[in-house]
Amino acid sequence: MTKSFALVDCNNFYVSCERVFNPRLNSVPVAVLSNNDGCFVARSNEVKALGIPMGAPYFKYKELVERHDIVVLSSNYALYADMSRRVMATLRYFCPRVDVYSVDEAFCDLDVPDQFDFACKLRKSVGEWTGIPVSIGIAPSKTLAKLANHYAKKHPETGGVFVLDSDEKIEALLMNTPVEDLWGIGSRLATMLHSKEMYTAWDLRSADDTWVKKKMTVVGLRMVWELRGISCLSLEEAVAPKKSLTTSKSFGRPITDYQELAEALSAYTARVAEKLRTQKALASALSVFVIPKPDAFGNPLYTYQLDMVLPEPTAYTPLLTHYAKELLQRLYREGVSYRKVGIMLDGLIPETIIQPVLFPTSPVSTEKQKRVMAVMDTLNRASGKKALRFASEGFENPWKMRQEKRSQRFTTNWDELLSIKI
């Protein structure tokens, strides 16, 4: 029995989430747009076959969309996040160790006798329990598992599962994989490798270790060892705490009014403060930035940012909002049209190691404030986002992202649950 990694990757994840709750979308071309319905961020296989590239602006392909009756939807992040949690929960039920790599990918420690049979059953269970189709690649290292997964996804004859369980299979796959397709190889690095007549993953795997370390650092050397089946990237089950947190979104329309800008910033501050408390951390510093609408040539007029060190680390939303709005007042210019505002919390420390200042100059975090925030977070998790909110966030939110084609939030909003007529 050989210990291996399995990379489980959801197929066309955003599109698959939409199809779970709307079977009419099965086998028809479907695409999902980015924030403010700007670009394509997910495409069904039917849309990919029509030649619409990832990240392409929607307006450039409107004629093609209409000609082929492509169903175009706005991003429904609440739905996608919840479906991702369901997929990962299913993986954890079957696998003792799971490393969540992204919203639609996870590595699993596959320490079982018959890896192919186990992976087939796992793929079937994820599909039955969540409705999301997945592909699974299995190999002795994470990098090889990534390549195996890509092969499983692109070759239907594999049944969605591909195991690199022999030297012959590994060599054949690496010899047919362009070096630029490797995990971690960018365009500049690929150009350098091409200049050294290294065109495939097999060429890189066969390179001299000393040369690789000199030209690609120790990170590149680890990649080469991973291609040789030597595991250098361990399974990370616990997500490392973030050193900073940022929340910002482009507005659905340009904003000139200070009050609307302040409402948007207050809402983003509440969101990032909730993330901070989830991480059980406190922020020591705060930054606010604003980005105006581009000029006639598409160039931004400026990007302004102001920073401040907080009197004392805190995760208390009203206090963070107070300081954020102080910075916004200094940034705001009357008559300027703004397209984005954002907030970043920095200098994050665990809430257990706070050291109070001797002579505080402003209200400090207290146990009472902590309890208030805990009650608010609990109610919002149980009843849906914004069940409780601060008045400074506003209620109508005319600045919100444009999502004219968004589907219902089937799993996270009581008012949008799926209705079935009998």
Side-chain angles (χ1 to χ4, degrees), residues 132-414:
I132 302 296
V134 299
S135 297
I136 302 178
I138 302 170
S141 69
K142 278 187 171 182
T143 301
L144 288 176
K146 190 92 170 173
L147 293 177
N149 181 280
H150 182 75
Y151 187 89
K153 187 174 290 188
K154 296 297 181 182
H155 294 79
E157 67 273 14
T158 63
V161 176
F162 185 63
V163 184
L164 286 175
D165 53 3
S166 69
D167 292 339
E168 292 75 19
K169 280 187 178 180
I170 293 174
E171 180 177 350
L173 183 58
L174 295 184
M175 291 187 71
N176 286 281
T177 300
V179 71
E180 58 268 24
D181 288 351
L182 285 175
W183 188 22
I185 297 291
S187 57
R188 291 179 61 182
L189 198 51
T191 300
M192 185 275 290
L193 293 173
H194 289 170
S195 71
K196 303 299 180 181
E197 297 186 349
M198 295 185 188
Y199 300 102
T200 69
W202 182 258
D203 294 333
L204 181 58
R205 179 194 184 279
S206 306
D208 177 70
D209 285 4
T210 303
W211 180 89
V212 172
K213 186 175 181 181
K214 180 180 179 181
K215 295 293 184 179
M216 300 173 62
T217 74
V218 68
V219 175
L221 184 59
R222 286 197 198 103
M223 180 193 303
V224 170
W225 286 355
E226 286 256 325
L227 291 174
R228 294 171 184 165
I230 304 170
S231 177
C232 301
L233 303 174
S234 61
L235 207 65
E236 301 292 340
E237 294 179 272
V239 179
K242 294 184 178 180
K243 297 181 180 180
S244 65
L245 294 169
T246 303
T247 296
S248 67
K249 290 185 177 68
S250 297
F251 302 131
R253 58 170 175 77
I255 290 178
T256 56
D257 180 65
Y258 172 79
Q259 187 57 39
E260 288 190 30
L261 204 62
E263 284 185 4
L265 179 60
S266 296
Y268 299 161
T269 302
R271 177 69 185 117
V272 77
E274 184 182 352
K275 293 180 183 178
L276 183 66
R277 293 189 293 271
T278 300
Q279 189 171 304
K280 298 187 182 302
L282 305 174
S284 304
L286 179 152
S287 302
V288 171
F289 60 89
V290 290
I291 302 177
K293 179 183 176 183
D295 61 22
F297 300 98
N299 302 311
L301 301 177
Y302 60 81
T303 298
Y304 276 172
Q305 176 173 318
L306 286 175
D307 316 309
M308 72 177 297
V309 176
L310 300 174
E312 185 173 7
T314 183
Y316 187 48
T317 298
L319 202 53
L320 292 170
T321 302
H322 169 75
Y323 291 124
K325 290 170 74 173
E326 274 191 3
L327 295 183
L328 180 64
Q329 286 179 334
R330 293 163 55 190
L331 288 169
Y332 176 74
R333 299 291 183 272
E334 190 172 350
V336 174
S337 295
Y338 296 95
R339 67 180 181 89
K340 179 182 281 192
V341 68
I343 178 172
M344 181 173 71
L345 303 181
D346 213 341
L348 307 191
I349 62 172
E351 62 182 10
T352 54
I353 65 171
I354 182 171
Q355 182 176 0
V357 295
L358 184 59
F359 301 107
T361 57
S362 62
V364 297
S365 297
T366 65
E367 281 301 314
K368 182 178 179 180
Q369 292 172 350
K370 186 176 178 181
R371 289 197 299 270
V372 169
M373 292 293 94
V375 170
M376 186 173 187
D377 293 342
T378 300
L379 287 173
N380 282 337
R381 280 194 293 268
S383 304
K385 283 184 180 179
K386 304 303 180 184
L388 285 180
R389 71 173 79 180
F390 293 93
S392 61
E393 300 177 47
F395 294 93
E396 295 184 5
N397 302 148
W399 40 265
K400 284 201 307 186
M401 286 191 304
R402 192 167 55 246
Q403 293 180 304
E404 298 172 353
K405 305 175 186 294
R406 179 180 61 78
S407 58
Q408 294 170 230
R409 291 164 292 186
F410 297 104
T411 65
T412 60
N413 189 299
W414 284 108

Side-chain angles (χ1 to χ4, degrees), residues 14 63 75 81 103 288 292 387:
Y14 290 179
E63 184 181 339
S75 293
V103 69
V288 171

Side-chain angles (χ1 to χ4, degrees), residues 115-127:
Q115 295 173 344
F116 179 79
D117 182 63
F118 180 86
C120 288
K121 291 177 180 176
L122 178 61
R123 182 175 184 271
K124 182 180 179 182
S125 296
V126 173

